[in-house]
Amino acid sequence: MILTDPAAGAIVPLQFGGLEGAVENASGPLGLLVIAAYSFLIAIVLPLPSEVVLVPAATGLGFGLSEPVAIGVIMLVSGSAKAAGSVVAFHLGHEAKRQSGPVIDRLRESRFDVVEWSERRTVELAREYGYIGLALALSVPFFPDTLSIYAFTVLEEDYVKFAAATFAGSVGRLLVTVGVFAPFFAL
């Protein structure tokens, strides 16, 4: 995929920075699709911050919406897309019971030792709190969703409850971000 970068005056590959930039500048129906695609991919393969989807709310998403309404629309779109992505991750996680998951393997090879710590803590939450634990884990701002989702996929069995918990956690995270961090940062 490619993205036109007006600052560079050229077409640049759509890499993580380009993808985040596309989300930050999302506007109109296509912008909502970009937010949905980004949120979907975060659930499956991208260890990127989901909070970036809130940035377009300041412009009303190009629909002339007030910021609170735009935030609500973004939360619904992002949460729904992440729930859909979690169903795909859920399926992949169950496949991982038979073989090692490629995303987790990749994250283990990263320079941060966040996988071991987060896996241990997430598995503890999953065993103790079930789907509520998944929602709580996903409500923590700036923590990679991908790790929590995959850790819970190997322990749980119900696709609908899993998607509902992912939706609740995703919206919860954005609410926490707006309520706690927005006063300090321009989202």
Side-chain angles (χ1 to χ4, degrees):
M1 294 179 80
I2 57 173
L3 174 71
T4 303
D5 183 357
I11 296 177
V12 296
L14 188 59
Q15 298 169 340
F16 288 164
L19 184 55
E20 287 183 65
V23 171
E24 290 171 356
N25 295 306
S27 177
L30 183 58
L32 288 175
L33 285 175
V34 168
I35 289 170
Y38 181 81
S39 298
F40 181 85
L41 290 172
I42 283 174
I44 302 169
V45 295
L46 298 178
L48 297 174
S50 60
E51 295 79 9
V52 72
V53 300
L54 293 170
V55 173
T59 65
L61 290 166
F63 294 117
L65 302 173
S66 67
E67 189 170 350
V69 171
I71 287 172
V73 169
I74 288 169
M75 287 180 180
L76 288 174
V77 168
S78 178
S80 298
K82 199 178 297 178
S86 76
V87 170
V88 173
F90 189 86
H91 177 72
L92 294 172
H94 283 278
E95 290 296 316
K97 286 180 181 178
R98 287 179 240 140
Q99 51 187 295
S100 182
V103 173
I104 298 301
D105 285 346
R106 193 90 164 119
L107 289 171
R108 282 187 201 283
E109 296 167 5
S110 71
R111 60 185 169 150
F112 302 107
D113 194 17
V114 72
V115 174
E116 183 183 335
W117 176 84
S118 63
E119 266 184 345
R120 189 174 49 244
R121 184 64 189 128
T122 304
V123 168
E124 288 171 13
L125 278 173
R127 286 192 178 127
E128 190 170 342
Y129 299 105
Y131 296 106
I132 293 172
L134 173 59
L136 290 172
L138 291 172
S139 293
V140 178
F142 309 108
F143 189 77
D145 294 333
T146 312
L147 294 173
S148 297
I149 289 171
Y150 277 97
F152 274 85
T153 62
V154 296
L155 298 172
E156 300 298 340
E157 299 293 329
D158 189 316
Y159 280 89
V160 175
K161 289 180 181 176
F162 192 81
T166 302
F167 177 83
S170 299
V171 171
R173 164 188 252 153
L174 296 176
L175 286 169
V176 169
T177 301
V178 167
V180 175
F181 296 104
F184 303 104
F185 302 103
L187 296 175

